[in-house]
Amino acid sequence: MQWHFDDELKRLKEMILRMGAMVEEQIANSVKALVERDVDLARQTIANDHRVNAMDVEIDETCIRLLALYQPAARDLRFITTAMKITTDLERMSDLSEDISERAIELAGEPPLKPYIDLPRMAGHAQRMVKEALDAFVNQDAQLARRVCGDDQMIDDLTDQIFRELLSYMMADPATVTRAIRLSFIAKYLERIGDHATNVAEMVVYLVEGKLIRHTQA
Amino acid sequence: MNSDTQKGFRVEDLKAYFGKVEALHGISMAIPFQQVTAIIGPSGCGKSTFVRCLNRMHEVTPETKVTGVCLWQGWDLYGPAVDPVEVRRRIGMVFQKANPFPMMSIYDNVVAGLKLMGVRNKQKLAQTAEQSLLRAALWDEVKDKLGQPGTSLSGGQQQRLCIARALAVEPEVLLLDEPTSALDPIAARKVEELIYDLKQSYTIVIVTHNMQQAARVSDRTAFFLLGELIEYDKTALIFTNPREKRTEDYITGRFG
Amino acid sequence: MNRYIALKKRAINRLAQGLCLLALLASIVPLVTILLDALARGGSALSLAFLTELPRPVGESGGGMANAIVGSGILVALASVVGLPLGIFGGIYLAEFGAHRFGHFIRFLADVLSGIPSIVNGIFAYTLLVLPFRHFSATAGGFALGLMMIPTVARTTEELILRVPTTLREGALALGIPYWKMVLRVVVRSVRGGILTGILLAIARIMGETAPLLFTSFGNPFWSFNVFEPISALPLQIFNYALSPFDEWHAQAWAGALVLITIVLGLNLVSRLIMRFSK
C-alpha cells in the first residue's frame, strides 16, 4: 500500500541531506579561505549563510506540518522531531563557519603566523563527522552514530594542542598576540562544530534506539 | 484558489430547515474542483445536513426546505427546471453505514445504478463494473466472486463496494458522509488512501468527526459549529494555526 | 438460606416450563386429531382415481374430485387477478404515502374488509356479478375470494416495506434514480420473498373458504374451464358430499378434506422455505 506519508518522509530526508551538504561546503570553504587567504571566498561563505537559514526554516515548517497533519507515532515521530533538532545544529554549524570566515578575512590582512597544519586537519575531521552523522541519520545506523560521538575526542585533543602551541607563540613574542587569539577563536569554532556534529549523532541514537543519550556518556 | 470561480461548488447564504427549525444558518463557501474538502465539527453542527444539500438529498426527508444559492460548475442545482434525479446522478454520495443492496450480488450491486437508468448493454455493464471496482481498489479482492451476495463482504469491502456503485454512474462529485466511522482502523486507512487517489478525477467532500482523518486526507477543511461555518481554509493552516479560537478549541480537544 | 432460594427458583422455572409445554401440546392436539381423523375416515377413499376422476352421478360408486381440485386452482388464479394488484399496490401506497389522515382511513377500511364475514363477501359478489348476468360463474367466486385476499396481502406488503431501512432507500436515491423506481425496483424487490410468503399464506386461507362460493361459483359436477360458468371447488364439494346421505360420499368428503389440508400445509411449508432461503 503506497502511503503518501512515506513520500513526505523521503522528501524530508532529502531536504536534510541537502542542508548537510551545504553545511559541509561552508565548513570546507571557510577554512580554505583561511589557508589560501582568499577574502572573496570568505565573503561568499558569509553570504551563503542565509541560504542555510532559509533551509532551516523550510525544514522546520515541513516538520510542523507533518506533525499536525499525520499525527505520526513511534519511529516516524522520533524521525520528525529528530529532524527538527538536527537542523538547529546544522544551522549553528553554518553560523560558526561564518565566524571562521570573518576571522579569516581579518587574518588575511596580516602575514601568516605559522603554516596552517592542524586547523585544516581539524576542519577535515569536523566535516567528516558532519557527513557521517548525517549518513547515520539517513540510514538509521546507531553504530555509526556512536562512532561519531567517539570521534569528538580527536577534535578536542587537537584543540588543546593548538591552544598550547599558540600560547607558546604568544609568550615568545607579544606582536603575535592578535593573530594567535584570532586563530584560537577559529580552533574554538571548529571544536564547537564538532560538538554540534556529536549532538546530531546523539539524536540519531535516540531515533534508532529510543534512548536519549544526550548529556551522558555515549 | 479562486482564479476560476465557475469551477467547483459555490454556495451562498445556504439555509436548510427541518420543518420550522433552521439547521444551517446561511453558509457561504467555495469548494474547489477535484480536491478533497473536509467538513469537521461536533455532533449536530450541521455538517451532514450541509453535504446533503449539495446533492439534494436533504429534501428527501419530509417537511424540509433549502434556500440560498448552490451552484456546481456554474449550474444552479436548485433551479426551477432542474430534476433532482439528475443532480444526484452527477453528484454521488456514500453513506456512513455501508448499504449494499441486500438481495443483489456484488456485480449486480455495482451496476445497479446503471441498470435502473435503463442501460441494458451487457458489455457496457461488465466494462463499467470492472472499471468502477478497479477505481474503488476492490477489483482484485472480488474479481473471482462477483456473483456472491454483496453482504458477504467485510465491512471495509462493503464500503468500497458502495463507492464502486456510486462511481459506476459516472458522477463528477463524490460526497462521503462519515465513510469510515463504522470501520476498523486498517479498513479506514484503505478507504483514506482510495480517497487520496480518487481526487485526481473527482471533486470530493468528506464529512468526518475524526479530525485526524480530515488532517490526513483533505486539502481544505471547513469547521462547522451549531449550523454555522466558523472557519474554512487550507488544511495545513487549520491544523497548525487556525484563526478562530473556537476552531482551535475544537482541534485541540478543549471543546465543551 | 441462599441454596434454598436457588432451588426454589429452579423449581418454579421448571414448573413454568412444564406448563408452557402442556399449553403447546394442547394447541397441537386438535390439529393432530383432525389429521388422524381425516386419515382414518377418508384414507380408504383416497386413491389415484380420486385425484383424477370426475364425481359419479348419484347411485354410482367410485369417482373422484379432480375437477374440484382444478377448480380450486382456477379460483385462486382468478382471485389473484383481483387480490394481488390491489393488495400489493395498496400495500405500497399505505407504506409510502399512508402517514396522513387519508392513509389512516384507507388502512382502517382494509382492516374492516378483512373482518367482514366471508359469506357477506359472497353475497356482495352475488349481487354484483351473478344477479345482473343471471348466471353463477367462476369469475364471481374468484372475485369474492379476491376481496378476502386484498387486506392480507396489503397489510403484509405494507409492514414489510415499512421495515426496509432508510439507508437502503437513500442509497438507491443517491444513485440518481426517480422515487418510483426506487420504491418498485429496489425496496419492493428487497422484500419480495416476504411478499411471496404473504401471498402464499393468503392463498392458503382462501383455499378453504366455502361460504363465499355457495352462491357465486356454485359448484359443477363436470370439468369447467370457462370462467363465466359455474365451477367446482374442493371445499364446496366436501360440503356437498358431507351433507349427503351416502356413506361413500362421506368417505370421499373426508378424502377431499385430507387433500385440502395437505395443500394448505404444503403452501405453509413452501412459504417457510422461501423465507429461509431469501435470507
Side-chain angles (χ1 to χ4, degrees):
Chain A
M1 191 169 71
Q2 184 60 355
W3 190 216
H4 64 280
F5 177 56
D6 287 336
D7 289 341
E8 299 261 23
L9 289 181
K10 207 164 69 158
R11 253 177 279 142
L12 179 61
K13 249 188 240 187
E14 283 162 16
M15 278 197 277
I16 291 175
L17 285 177
R18 244 183 303 141
M19 190 178 173
M22 264 193 249
V23 167
E24 281 175 56
E25 205 187 334
Q26 291 285 79
I27 299 171
N29 284 348
S30 63
V31 172
K32 186 161 176 238
L34 167 73
V35 169
E36 295 176 6
R37 303 160 69 77
D38 186 342
V39 174
D40 287 327
L41 182 58
R43 290 221 175 91
Q44 206 188 332
T45 307
I46 293 170
N48 277 344
D49 185 57
H50 79 268
R51 277 173 53 211
V52 175
N53 292 342
M55 279 232 75
D56 180 28
V57 168
E58 189 188 343
I59 292 176
D60 266 356
E61 281 177 345
T62 304
C63 289
I64 290 178
R65 184 176 62 83
L66 291 182
L67 287 176
L69 294 187
Y70 295 98
Q71 311 95 37
R75 189 169 284 236
D76 291 339
L77 175 64
R78 296 200 303 271
F79 181 81
I80 294 175
T81 49
T82 308
M84 288 173 79
K85 297 201 105 161
I86 285 177
T87 53
T88 310
D89 283 304
L90 286 176
E91 193 263 332
R92 291 294 304 141
M93 287 189 230
S94 178
D95 285 346
L96 289 163
S97 306
E98 205 186 349
D99 293 335
I100 295 176
S101 302
E102 283 168 6
R103 302 288 88 75
I105 292 176
E106 290 159 10
L107 282 168
E110 296 180 62
L113 180 60
K114 59 184 284 292
Y116 300 129
I117 307 170
D118 289 327
L119 283 177
R121 215 193 308 166
M122 269 183 87
H125 275 319
Q127 249 181 284
R128 192 170 45 83
M129 281 173 74
V130 171
K131 179 172 188 313
E132 282 177 2
L134 286 179
D135 280 344
F137 171 67
V138 158
N139 298 322
Q140 303 202 4
D141 183 347
Q143 233 180 351
L144 178 58
R146 285 202 147 94
R147 270 213 308 276
V148 170
C149 294
D151 283 348
D152 193 41
Q153 192 56 48
M154 238 191 297
I155 294 203
D156 291 345
D157 292 339
L158 275 171
T159 312
D160 286 339
Q161 205 180 307
I162 293 176
F163 278 168
R164 268 179 279 128
E165 200 186 333
L166 290 172
L167 196 56
S168 67
Y169 270 91
M170 283 194 276
M171 288 198 297
D173 180 3
T176 63
V177 165
T178 24
R179 281 173 287 166
I181 288 181
R182 292 203 172 104
L183 286 173
S184 61
F185 277 155
I186 292 179
K188 193 70 204 161
Y189 298 149
L190 285 171
E191 194 231 343
R192 297 262 39 244
I193 288 178
D195 287 343
H196 282 297
T198 309
N199 285 348
V200 173
E202 283 166 352
M203 285 311 298
V204 173
V205 172
Y206 166 66
L207 164 63
V208 174
E209 295 175 6
K211 268 194 297 211
L212 280 166
I213 62 170
R214 276 208 325 273
H215 316 309
T216 63
Q217 294 290 338
Chain B
M1 192 58 52
N2 291 318
S3 54
D4 192 351
T5 46
Q6 286 280 74
K7 285 206 149 224
F9 278 102
R10 212 181 85 228
V11 172
E12 272 171 34
D13 198 35
L14 188 74
K15 294 192 178 139
Y17 298 83
F18 286 97
K20 292 241 164 46
V21 177
E22 192 180 87
L24 289 179
H25 309 308
I27 309 287
S28 299
M29 61 192 282
I31 295 178
F33 184 68
Q34 285 188 356
Q35 288 187 26
V36 180
T37 303
I39 318 259
I40 61 173
S43 307
C45 65
K47 44 190 202 291
S48 281
T49 309
F50 172 69
V51 150
R52 286 165 67 97
C53 289
L54 294 179
N55 71 341
R56 297 190 68 165
M57 281 299 286
H58 180 70
E59 63 202 52
V60 168
T61 314
E63 292 179 24
T64 52
K65 194 170 68 154
V66 175
T67 64
V69 174
C70 187
L71 305 176
W72 163 249
Q73 305 279 73
W75 179 45
D76 183 4
L77 299 181
Y78 287 86
V82 173
D83 184 7
V85 171
E86 178 64 16
V87 171
R88 293 182 205 127
R89 191 200 62 77
R90 287 174 65 175
I91 300 175
M93 188 169 229
V94 173
F95 298 84
Q96 181 173 344
K97 183 94 175 46
N99 55 0
F101 296 137
M103 57 293 173
M104 295 189 194
S105 67
I106 294 174
Y107 177 79
D108 282 334
N109 256 291
V110 178
V111 299
L114 286 175
K115 273 201 192 160
L116 286 164
M117 263 174 239
V119 176
R120 294 254 169 271
N121 184 331
K122 288 251 167 87
Q123 226 180 346
K124 173 137 175 54
L125 288 177
Q127 240 174 2
T128 314
E130 183 174 341
Q131 242 172 22
S132 308
L133 285 167
L134 275 168
R135 285 228 184 102
L138 191 58
W139 175 252
D140 285 329
E141 292 167 55
V142 301
K143 62 182 180 219
D144 297 323
K145 50 178 181 171
L146 289 173
Q148 288 196 13
T151 42
S152 66
L153 298 173
S154 76
Q157 289 172 321
Q158 281 188 24
Q159 192 61 299
R160 277 179 280 148
L161 176 62
C162 291
I163 293 176
R165 182 178 70 188
L167 292 178
V169 298
E170 286 164 20
E172 295 151 47
V173 181
L174 254 196
L175 303 174
L176 304 160
D177 191 352
E178 308 214 22
T180 61
S181 59
L183 302 180
D184 68 270
I186 294 184
R189 283 280 281 263
K190 281 206 182 131
V191 172
E192 284 174 24
E193 274 289 294
L194 175 60
I195 292 170
Y196 190 75
D197 292 331
L198 284 176
K199 76 172 177 189
Q200 316 257 1
S201 328
Y202 303 93
T203 303
I204 298 186
V205 182
I206 173 170
V207 170
T208 178
H209 64 248
N210 180 343
M211 286 181 285
Q212 289 75 31
Q213 180 176 84
R216 282 193 292 268
V217 133
S218 66
D219 300 300
R220 307 199 101 220
T221 299
F223 172 57
F224 274 54
L225 183 60
L226 296 175
E228 282 187 36
L229 172 62
I230 306 295
E231 194 172 344
Y232 175 49
D233 210 333
K234 288 209 190 115
T235 300
L237 279 172
I238 294 266
F239 283 93
T240 52
N241 192 15
R243 275 192 311 261
E244 294 280 330
K245 181 160 193 325
R246 286 172 290 181
T247 315
E248 188 163 47
D249 285 343
Y250 181 68
I251 286 176
T252 55
R254 287 190 171 79
F255 212 72
Chain C
M1 204 58 199
N2 282 328
R3 197 154 50 121
Y4 168 64
I5 294 175
L7 279 174
K8 193 168 108 169
K9 283 195 179 172
R10 211 184 304 164
I12 294 178
N13 213 11
R14 290 276 166 78
L15 181 63
Q17 272 181 328
L19 285 174
C20 288
L21 185 60
L22 271 175
L24 177 66
L25 290 173
S27 57
I28 294 182
V29 157
L31 173 65
V32 174
T33 316
I34 292 173
L35 272 172
L36 290 176
D37 218 17
L39 258 172
R41 295 177 202 262
S44 56
L46 196 58
S47 67
L48 193 60
F50 178 78
L51 294 171
T52 54
E53 283 182 26
L54 289 176
R56 291 282 161 81
V58 178
E60 288 185 35
S61 72
M65 288 197 182
N67 62 340
I69 298 175
V70 171
S72 276
I74 293 177
L75 281 171
V76 163
L78 289 171
S80 302
V81 168
V82 169
L84 289 190
L86 289 177
I88 293 178
F89 286 100
I92 294 175
Y93 173 83
L94 280 176
E96 294 295 319
F97 310 107
H100 318 292
R101 262 236 303 252
F102 186 62
H104 289 315
F105 179 61
I106 298 283
R107 203 173 287 119
F108 171 69
L109 286 182
D111 285 338
V112 167
L113 184 59
S114 70
I116 290 179
S118 54
I119 193 155
V120 175
N121 278 317
I123 295 173
F124 178 61
Y126 174 77
T127 318
L128 211 59
L129 292 173
V130 175
L131 273 183
F133 304 102
R134 302 183 178 289
H135 215 63
F136 292 118
S137 61
T139 318
F143 178 73
L145 291 180
L147 283 180
M148 299 175 68
M149 272 185 96
I150 294 174
T152 319
V153 173
R155 288 306 234 132
T156 313
T157 308
E158 182 200 1
E159 262 162 52
L160 285 169
I161 291 179
L162 283 177
R163 261 191 263 144
V164 171
T166 323
T167 52
L168 182 65
R169 293 160 178 273
E170 290 197 336
L173 279 177
L175 289 174
I177 58 174
Y179 194 82
W180 66 267
K181 264 198 196 172
M182 180 268 292
V183 171
L184 286 182
R185 295 182 58 183
V186 177
V187 173
V188 171
R189 192 176 155 179
S190 74
V191 295
R192 60 187 171 183
I195 293 180
L196 187 57
T197 307
I199 293 172
L200 287 177
L201 290 174
I203 290 176
R205 184 190 162 196
I206 60 173
M207 277 215 98
E209 289 290 337
T210 319
L213 301 177
L214 286 173
F215 24 79
T216 49
S217 55
F218 194 64
N220 193 327
F222 306 111
W223 288 113
S224 165
F225 298 103
N226 182 348
V227 298
F228 299 109
E229 294 288 314
I231 198 169
S232 176
L234 258 180
L236 266 182
Q237 200 73 322
I238 295 169
F239 178 64
N240 286 330
Y241 275 26
L243 289 183
S244 75
F246 306 115
D247 282 336
E248 197 191 341
W249 278 12
H250 290 173
Q252 289 207 338
W254 278 112
L258 206 55
V259 171
L260 188 56
I261 293 174
T262 312
I263 293 176
V264 169
L265 272 175
L267 282 172
N268 271 290
L269 253 171
V270 170
S271 71
R272 277 192 175 268
L273 285 172
I274 292 176
M275 277 316 275
R276 168 101 55 90
F277 280 117
S278 72
K279 286 285 175 250

